[in-house]
Amino acid sequence: MPANLTSRQFRECFPVLADTVHLASCSQGALSGELLTALSEMTFTMREHAAPWDLWMAEVDQARRRFAALVNADPDEIAVVHCASDGAYQVASTKDWSKRPGIVTTDMEFPSLGHVWVAQQARGARVTHVPERDAAVDVGELVAAIDERTGLVSVPIATYRNGARMPVREAVDKAHEVGARVFVDAYQAAGVLPVDVRALDCDYLVSGALKYLLGLPGVAFLYARGGLADDLPPQLTGWFGRVDPFRFDPRTVDYPTEARRFETGTPGIPAVYGANAGMRLLSRVDLHDVERHVGELATLATERLLAAGERVWAPRDGAHPGPQVALVDDDPDALAAHLSARRIATAPRGTVLRLSFHYFNDESDVDAACSAIADYRAKNRGDAGAAHP
C-alpha cells in the first residue's frame, strides 16, 4: 500500500495553487488536477457511449462506498442525495411529531438545515434554539434542552460561522439517554477532521462534496444508522428510492430498508464524478495528520492576527479552532475583494471574513493573507473592527 501523502505532496495535486492562495475551503474546495481529469472522463463517456448509464451508476456506487469508508459506515447506510437540505428534509419527513414534538438545534446551525427544522412546526414540531454564547454553544445549555419530549437533536461537528467545534458527543449521550435521535452536520468537518459515525454514535449524518471534500456542488451524502425504523416513509421520493430502480414500475412505491430509501431522482452526475475525485485524493492522506496540520495553521493565523490588533471571533475557552479562523470586520466583502485582487480566496459571511485551511495550505499562505490584511488596514485606517457578530 503506498505511503500517505505529505502536505507538500498533497499541495502538488492542485496546480491552481501555483498562483493562488486558497483559503475558502469552508465555501468551495480548491480545484485539483484530479477533479479536472474526472470531469474530462465524464464528458468522454458521453462522447463515446452517448447514454452511458452503466458507467454513471458505477460512479454513484463508488461515491457511496468512498463516503462510507470516509466516515466508517457501511455502504448500505449511505444515501446519495442532492444537498444537505434534502438529507435533512428526508429525515424530518419520516418523523411523526405528535409522538415526540421537540427538535433541539442551535444558533450555530447552518440555515440550510435550520430552515428544515423550523418548517416542521407546520407538522406539529416544537423547535428549541440553543443560543450562541461567546462564539460557541454552552454544553450545559444544549444538554439541558434535551428531554423526554425531544424527538430529534441537530448539531454540527464544526460550525460554518467560525469553525468552532460543537459538543456532539455530549448531545448524543443525552439524546440517547432520553430516547431521541441525533442528526449531525459534518459539512465543515469531513475532509479535514476524522469523522467516525461509530465513535460519534449518531443516528444520522450529512455532508456534501463541494467544500473540504474537494468536489463540486450538486451531491451530498446522508448516513442513516442501520436498523433505524421510520415513523413514516420519506415524503419526497423518486425512482432511485426503490428496491430496484431499473424495474421501471410506475405503480409500485417500494422502499428499501437500507439508506437508499431516502434517495429521489438521478444524482448530479458531474458532481458525483467530482466527489469521487476529491475522495480519491483524500484516501491518500491520514486525516489525523490533516487535522493536526489545519489546526496548527489556524492557530498560527489566529496568533498573527491578534498580534496585529485584529479581532478573531472564536470560543474563549481555548477550544480547538477547527479548520478556519473568523476575522471580525465592518465590511468583510470589501476585505475579501482586496484579498481576491491579490489572488487570495477567502469566504466572507455576515460580519466575519473566514480563512479556512486544508492540507494543501502552508505557512506561506498565512503569511500572504496576514500581509494583505495589514496592507488593507494601512489603506483604510479606522475601519479595523466591527461589533460582535
Side-chain angles (χ1 to χ4, degrees):
M1 184 174 181
N4 291 322
L5 296 178
T6 65
S7 60
R8 183 183 296 275
Q9 291 169 329
F10 191 68
R11 186 181 180 92
E12 292 171 356
C13 298
F14 297 82
V16 67
L17 301 181
D19 64 0
T20 300
V21 174
H22 192 91
L23 299 176
S25 294
C26 61
S27 181
Q28 170 64 57
L31 177 63
S32 68
E34 191 88 13
L35 176 55
L36 288 171
T37 299
L39 294 179
S40 294
E41 289 175 354
M42 190 215 72
T43 55
F44 178 79
T45 66
M46 296 176 67
R47 173 66 180 84
E48 291 299 304
H49 305 285
W53 282 95
D54 289 346
L55 295 174
W56 290 352
M57 293 307 96
E59 284 290 320
V60 173
D61 183 63
Q62 183 181 95
R64 187 193 316 278
R65 293 179 179 279
R66 285 189 180 279
F67 186 78
L70 186 74
V71 300
N72 193 28
D74 293 328
D76 284 348
E77 296 176 305
I78 304 299
V80 181
V81 295
H82 294 91
C83 62
S85 298
D86 284 2
Y89 174 78
Q90 289 297 73
V91 169
S93 76
T94 66
K95 306 305 175 191
D96 179 355
W97 298 113
S98 67
K99 295 179 179 179
R100 300 179 69 116
I103 299 176
V104 175
T105 181
T106 78
D107 284 339
M108 304 297 269
E109 187 90 83
F110 189 71
S112 188
L113 302 185
H115 294 166
V116 172
W117 310 139
V118 172
Q120 298 311 302
Q121 293 177 134
R123 299 178 55 226
R126 299 174 185 171
V127 182
T128 297
H129 288 90
V130 179
E132 170 264 317
R133 299 189 193 281
D134 293 329
V137 169
D138 181 77
V139 178
E141 281 191 86
L142 178 59
V143 169
I146 304 168
D147 60 25
E148 287 74 11
R149 296 288 286 164
T150 303
L152 188 71
V153 178
S154 179
V155 59
I157 294 176
T159 174
Y160 81 102
R161 295 184 69 187
N162 63 0
R165 300 287 191 95
M166 301 291 280
V168 176
R169 186 69 235 189
E170 293 86 346
V172 169
D173 289 345
K174 179 61 181 294
H176 287 175
E177 179 184 318
V178 299
R181 292 182 181 176
V182 181
F183 186 100
V184 172
D185 175 9
Y187 226 133
Q188 295 291 334
V192 282
L193 305 178
V195 177
D196 185 329
V197 294
R198 307 301 178 204
L200 291 172
D201 196 28
C202 57
D203 302 287
Y204 309 99
L205 180 142
V206 73
S207 189
L210 76 156
K211 301 183 190 293
Y212 296 105
L213 291 186
L214 304 170
L216 297 170
V219 68
F221 303 95
L222 173 65
Y223 160 79
R225 183 159 53 85
L228 287 181
D230 305 322
D231 297 330
L232 305 165
Q235 298 302 290
L236 179 64
T237 194
W239 70 306
F240 271 71
R242 301 286 70 80
V243 171
D244 179 6
F246 288 90
R247 183 181 175 192
F248 296 113
D249 179 357
R251 298 190 175 203
T252 302
V253 179
D254 53 355
Y255 294 90
T257 57
E258 60 264 29
R260 284 195 305 106
R261 67 188 182 274
F262 294 110
E263 296 183 5
T264 57
T266 307
I269 298 302
V272 169
Y273 271 80
N276 277 321
M279 289 188 288
R280 269 195 301 270
L281 273 176
L282 291 168
S283 71
R284 300 172 63 194
V285 303
D286 183 329
L287 283 171
H288 294 282
D289 291 339
V290 177
E291 178 184 29
R292 285 190 292 272
H293 183 79
V294 299
E296 289 169 359
L297 290 177
T299 298
L300 176 63
T302 298
E303 292 172 349
R304 290 276 302 275
L305 291 169
L306 291 175
E310 300 287 347
R311 283 191 287 164
V312 173
W313 189 46
R316 297 180 182 177
D317 60 3
H320 191 290
Q324 66 161 287
V325 175
L327 173 64
V328 180
D329 191 80
D330 280 333
D331 191 349
D333 289 316
L335 177 53
H338 172 85
L339 297 176
S340 179
R342 289 152 179 77
R343 300 202 64 83
I344 302 172
T346 58
R349 283 290 182 273
T351 55
V352 299
L353 180 75
R354 299 177 300 166
L355 311 174
S356 53
F357 299 94
H358 211 306
Y359 200 41
F360 52 69
N361 291 117
D362 60 23
E363 289 189 22
S364 72
D365 297 334
V366 176
D367 293 340
C370 289
S371 176
I373 291 168
D375 179 60
Y376 178 80
R377 297 298 185 219
K379 295 177 180 178
N380 298 275
R381 295 299 182 194
D383 297 336
H388 189 281

